[in-house]
Amino acid sequence: MFKKVMSLALASTLVLSAGAFAASAAEAEDAVAANDESAVAADDSSAVAAGDESQVGAGTKIYFDVKSAGWKNFSKIYCHIWRADGTGKWPSWQTKKELCKKESDDLYSYDITKAGKENAEEIQNAGSKNLYCVIFSADTQVQIYNTIMNGNCIGDTLYVTGNKIENPKDSNKTDTEAAWKNHPECGPQKVITSTSKVVGTALADGTTDVTLMADYLLDYVSDEGVADTSKTDKSQDLINQLKISPLAVMSNVNFKLEGFVKEETMTQDVANKKKATIEGILGNCTDPTKGGEKVNKDEIKNAEAKNDAADTSGSSNGGSSSNGSSSNGSSNGSSNGSSSGSNSVQSGQETTIFFVFAGVMVAAAGVFFLVRRREN
């Protein structure tokens, strides 16, 4: 009988100890959660305090200062967003999914979730990467010029500067230049227009002045290797404006051609014809990066295929101010703070576990001693 009583006592002790262990573990988890919540709250508070008013409650909206554009007699404002490299599925021009909301007589907003959940999440996660273009337009056929956008632009406002820029595709049209109030690295998109002019200031990630020139030559040399001389004869002027090396351009042309062949979007024969013609064009140029020195034709012919955008992506962003933005700083601060808080809670949890385990062992030893004494 005594053994049974002692066994029940031991079992009760173990159950109570397990309960104490679970309770202390739960307390530890609650402490971690509370620590994380306070860190996030502090991070959000500091971010709002440090940011401009237009960034408060950024959410998923971007804004357009229609008053700065001076547009009249319109009834609807639209926002067209797309990936600068032309990939992905995005809403079509001035469809219902691009319709903006009137916030006031001077301000319209666009919720990027209307462009699709995946697209919105992608933009939000882009951070300082200049991967997107945006155009605000009205139902009266007026629009702003292509403007670079990154993930940090959410909550910011686009306004019209007053400058006019040639439409990249239609030289008969001019668009009004726009800029972000708080993100100068995301200005008007830098491109070479259909009339061979360099316009804009902000390069999309993955593009550089060299890749712009490489694409220009590839566009105006046919699959048969025939150059549109009305365009290609302006190569030297463009190279001088962009201050780039003809050899670097040829290297990027070769890189792109190799990619087309590998992806089977171009045959090797077509690639060879384009390559030969472009070599001839660049071989007759001078190099502004070397004081106008004549290009070595053998170097052009033997140029190594090279992805200039991968090697110079830091300079292609139009500046590095975004690297030191408050968003990065607050993010790092939050991460470090919550990490140290979690460690301190874990230390307390380990101490509690030790004492609970020690208590169980002492109780078990006591029961064992009493049982042995009773038998004797």
Side-chain angles (χ1 to χ4, degrees):
M1 181 67 182
F2 183 76
K3 289 182 180 180
K4 291 182 179 180
V5 172
M6 289 298 102
S7 297
L8 288 172
L10 177 58
S12 300
T13 302
L14 290 173
V15 170
L16 290 172
S17 299
F21 173 80
S24 61
E27 289 174 2
E29 289 178 359
D30 291 342
V32 170
N35 183 275
D36 288 344
E37 288 176 4
S38 63
V40 170
D43 179 63
D44 290 344
S45 175
S46 61
V48 170
D52 185 86
E53 288 181 0
S54 64
Q55 294 175 310
V56 175
T60 55
K61 290 183 178 181
I62 58 175
Y63 300 86
F64 178 58
D65 182 354
V66 72
K67 182 180 180 181
S68 66
W71 295 346
K72 304 292 183 183
N73 303 318
F74 63 86
S75 58
K76 295 178 181 178
I77 297 293
Y78 297 90
C79 178
H80 185 61
I81 299 176
W82 72 100
R83 204 177 292 138
D85 63 5
T87 59
K89 291 184 66 176
W90 301 82
S92 300
W93 179 260
Q94 289 195 349
T95 52
K96 186 177 181 180
K97 289 184 178 181
E98 296 194 337
L99 194 61
C100 296
K101 178 183 177 182
K102 183 177 181 180
E103 300 286 346
S104 68
D105 289 341
D106 300 336
L107 193 69
Y108 278 74
S109 68
Y110 179 70
D111 192 328
I112 62 172
T113 59
K114 295 179 71 174
K117 181 181 178 181
E118 290 184 1
N119 288 336
E121 290 177 351
E122 181 185 299
I123 295 172
Q124 288 175 305
N125 293 330
S128 61
K129 295 178 181 178
N130 295 349
L131 299 175
Y132 311 94
C133 288
V134 59
I135 292 176
F136 280 93
S137 64
D139 54 358
T140 54
Q141 305 307 310
V142 290
Q143 66 179 68
I144 63 171
Y145 176 75
N146 304 2
T147 308
I148 293 292
M149 183 179 79
N150 62 35
N152 294 336
C153 292
I154 298 174
D156 205 351
T157 302
L158 267 176
Y159 68 96
V160 170
T161 65
N163 298 327
K164 295 287 186 178
I165 296 181
E166 179 182 316
N167 186 289
K169 301 297 182 183
D170 186 354
S171 60
N172 294 317
K173 292 175 61 178
T174 57
D175 300 325
T176 54
E177 179 188 77
W180 297 95
K181 287 187 176 181
N182 300 291
H183 294 89
E185 77 278 10
C186 297
Q189 184 184 21
K190 190 173 187 179
V191 297
I192 301 175
T193 70
S194 58
T195 58
S196 308
K197 295 176 183 176
V198 179
V199 299
T201 57
L203 285 159
D205 273 26
T207 63
T208 66
D209 290 338
V210 168
T211 67
L212 291 182
M213 189 66 205
D215 287 335
Y216 177 84
L217 290 171
L218 288 167
D219 285 344
Y220 293 114
V221 173
S222 73
D223 288 353
E224 296 302 317
V226 178
D228 180 348
T229 55
S230 67
K231 309 293 185 182
T232 59
D233 283 354
K234 297 176 182 178
S235 294
Q236 183 68 69
D237 290 339
L238 288 169
I239 286 171
N240 289 342
Q241 285 185 63
L242 296 169
K243 297 181 176 63
I244 54 177
S245 163
L247 181 60
V249 175
M250 192 67 233
S251 292
N252 195 246
V253 166
N254 288 338
F255 174 81
K256 290 176 182 292
L257 288 174
E258 286 186 1
F260 296 150
V261 172
K262 186 176 181 180
E263 295 164 3
E264 299 183 349
T265 57
M266 182 182 291
T267 65
Q268 187 64 60
D269 181 57
V270 169
N272 291 340
K273 289 176 180 178
K274 281 181 173 281
K275 175 183 168 77
T277 301
I278 294 173
E279 283 177 355
I281 295 168
L282 294 173
N284 290 316
C285 291
T286 58
D287 190 342
T289 67
K290 296 182 178 179
E293 179 183 307
K294 187 71 176 176
V295 169
N296 185 315
K297 292 186 178 182
D298 288 335
E299 288 183 350
I300 291 290
K301 188 173 182 179
N302 298 310
E304 179 185 358
K306 188 176 180 182
N307 183 8
D308 181 79
D311 294 336
T312 59
S313 59
S315 61
S316 69
N317 294 337
S320 59
S321 60
S322 59
N323 293 335
S325 65
S326 61
S327 62
N328 288 344
S330 62
S331 176
N332 293 336
S334 171
S335 174
N336 294 337
S338 61
S339 175
S340 63
S342 177
N343 288 339
S344 64
V345 172
Q346 287 174 358
S347 297
Q349 182 178 346
E350 289 166 1
T351 302
T352 304
I353 292 170
F354 174 78
F355 283 115
V356 170
F357 181 73
V360 172
M361 294 302 293
V362 169
V367 172
F368 179 76
F369 175 76
L370 289 172
V371 170
R372 293 287 296 174
R373 185 176 180 183
R374 176 69 175 176
E375 289 177 347
N376 293 333

